[in-house]
Amino acid sequence: MRIALDLTTASVRERSGTSLYAVALAQALARGFPGHAYLACHRLSSLRRRAHWPELPGPNFRRRVYWDAFDPLLARQADLFHGLDSRAGRFGPLPQVVTVHGVGHLWREDLVDARGRAFRLAQLEEIRRRADAVLVPSAFEKGQLHARLGFDPARVHVVPLAPAPDFVATRAPDQAVLDRRGLDRPYVLFVGVLQPRKNVLRLLDAFATLPPDAVLVLAGPTVESFRRALAAPLAALGPRVRPLGHVPNAELPSLYAGARCLAFPSHYESFGIPLLEAMACGCPVLASTAAALPEVAGGAALLADPDSTEAIADGLSRLWGDAALRA
């Protein structure tokens, strides 16, 4: 079979989330199913980022630029198109599979503006009409697509995510990583992009109730529009908070393994891969009761109401001070 994979989302210098998913899936297909021929496709809009296109994962891959608005020639070169970042295309009769990473945030006015919502809903309508199959990471997201957008549940398939093989509980943290990051005290870890959806401001308020020797490590880049809102809370906590910015994936297992717990009180997640990465590294988890997080936690994490600073603080306090609970 000739399979076209849209790797546009991976055309970034610092990969996380959907870009890591796209690269990992392409690499796994190259290893596990070498009998197929693959097209690594990039939308025309990513030409300006071609310096960051991922390497082709194997000899059975070749590269192609395409136009998702209208590219009937792709149907002559491939037997199947897989959109890896919630985008379908107009390719004539070519069958399409599309991975939809998340839609629930579209109905929260605090998470997306009207213009962004309209643009995203138009993309989802294109997927609903054109995709032969849709992959989602959680049953929660499948329910959202059906209830809110009228997707046929028979065409929507739940395919959960998984941590990379490097995330294992038997590996001790690399002390060089911790030393380089200045992590010489017990710490709570947060992993993800710093943005309103991740509930970082309420996490900072809740963390402030922990003993003064506690440190909060924020592992992830900050959305530019969120920097001003973060400035005062970070200044108030001073050296007790360590914003690391983007952290290479190779360092994350050590950060998880060295942490007293992971705090992930997000307002909305279609999945929440940091929960499973932490668990795989033996790191206890405090997550929120929102969206897909209870489904992913599977009863193996403390859960707190993301709209309650007190509930988050209570969960942090329990994990911080109770070694038996952490174990």
Side-chain angles (χ1 to χ4, degrees):
M1 182 180 287
R2 301 170 300 169
I3 303 171
L5 299 172
D6 182 3
L7 297 181
T8 304
T9 186
S11 304
V12 292
R13 182 169 60 88
E14 297 175 346
R15 294 192 183 116
S16 63
T18 60
S19 58
L20 287 176
Y21 164 83
V23 171
L25 183 56
Q27 292 171 340
L29 288 170
R31 290 193 307 270
F33 301 90
H36 298 306
Y38 300 95
L39 277 178
C41 294
H42 306 271
R43 292 193 292 273
L44 278 172
S45 59
S46 73
L47 272 173
R48 63 184 182 277
R49 303 193 306 273
R50 59 185 176 275
H52 303 309
W53 284 353
E55 294 182 9
L56 296 180
N60 48 348
F61 269 79
R62 61 189 180 91
R63 205 181 299 277
R64 186 189 192 280
V65 177
Y66 80 100
W67 188 28
D68 55 329
F70 183 68
D71 196 338
L73 290 177
L74 190 59
R76 301 180 186 178
Q77 299 171 327
D79 303 306
L80 176 70
F81 174 85
H82 188 171
L84 298 177
D85 64 339
S86 307
R87 294 282 287 270
R90 300 178 183 181
F91 312 125
L94 182 64
Q96 298 187 52
V97 174
V98 178
T99 297
V100 174
H101 294 283
V103 299
H105 63 290
L106 294 175
W107 289 273
R108 290 191 55 141
E109 293 184 0
D110 56 329
L111 299 182
V112 64
D113 60 25
R115 182 179 179 184
R117 182 181 299 108
F119 178 75
R120 188 76 180 92
L121 288 174
Q123 290 180 329
L124 289 164
E125 176 59 20
E126 192 85 350
I127 293 170
R128 190 187 68 81
R129 290 193 300 112
R130 297 186 182 278
D132 298 272
V134 176
L135 309 185
V136 293
S138 62
F140 170 82
E141 282 303 316
K142 178 174 181 173
Q144 293 284 300
L145 286 177
H146 174 58
R148 295 185 179 271
L149 296 168
F151 276 62
D152 178 1
R155 291 194 295 123
V156 182
H157 307 273
V158 178
V159 183
L161 305 176
D166 292 342
F167 295 88
V168 290
T170 56
R171 181 180 300 175
D174 184 340
Q175 193 60 44
V177 171
L178 303 185
D179 291 345
R180 185 164 59 251
R181 298 293 186 175
L183 302 179
D184 55 358
R185 293 160 57 186
Y187 61 90
V188 173
L189 178 65
F190 167 86
V191 175
V193 176
L194 275 61
Q195 57 180 307
R197 174 168 67 86
K198 299 293 186 178
N199 210 15
V200 179
L201 295 179
R202 190 166 275 115
L203 172 59
L204 291 170
D205 287 343
F207 171 77
T209 66
L210 290 186
D213 62 331
V215 171
L216 175 61
V217 175
L218 303 176
T222 303
V223 171
E224 195 61 39
S225 59
F226 192 49
R227 290 187 184 278
R228 179 175 294 182
L230 272 179
L234 289 179
L237 287 167
R240 294 187 65 197
V241 181
R242 309 280 177 83
L244 303 184
H246 173 77
V247 174
N249 221 40
E251 293 187 17
L252 284 177
S254 291
L255 294 184
Y256 284 122
R260 187 162 286 192
C261 66
L262 174 77
F264 202 72
S266 179
H267 284 300
Y268 168 78
E269 297 292 330
S270 60
F271 190 78
I273 193 68
L275 269 63
L276 296 191
E277 291 175 343
M279 291 176 181
C281 293
C283 176
V285 172
L286 171 68
S288 86
T289 55
L293 291 176
E295 176 186 344
V296 173
L302 286 187
L303 300 179
D305 179 356
D307 294 318
S308 169
T309 302
E310 293 75 17
I312 298 170
D314 178 67
L316 286 175
S317 178
R318 291 175 63 195
L319 283 173
W320 185 262
D322 190 339
L325 177 62
R326 291 197 303 273

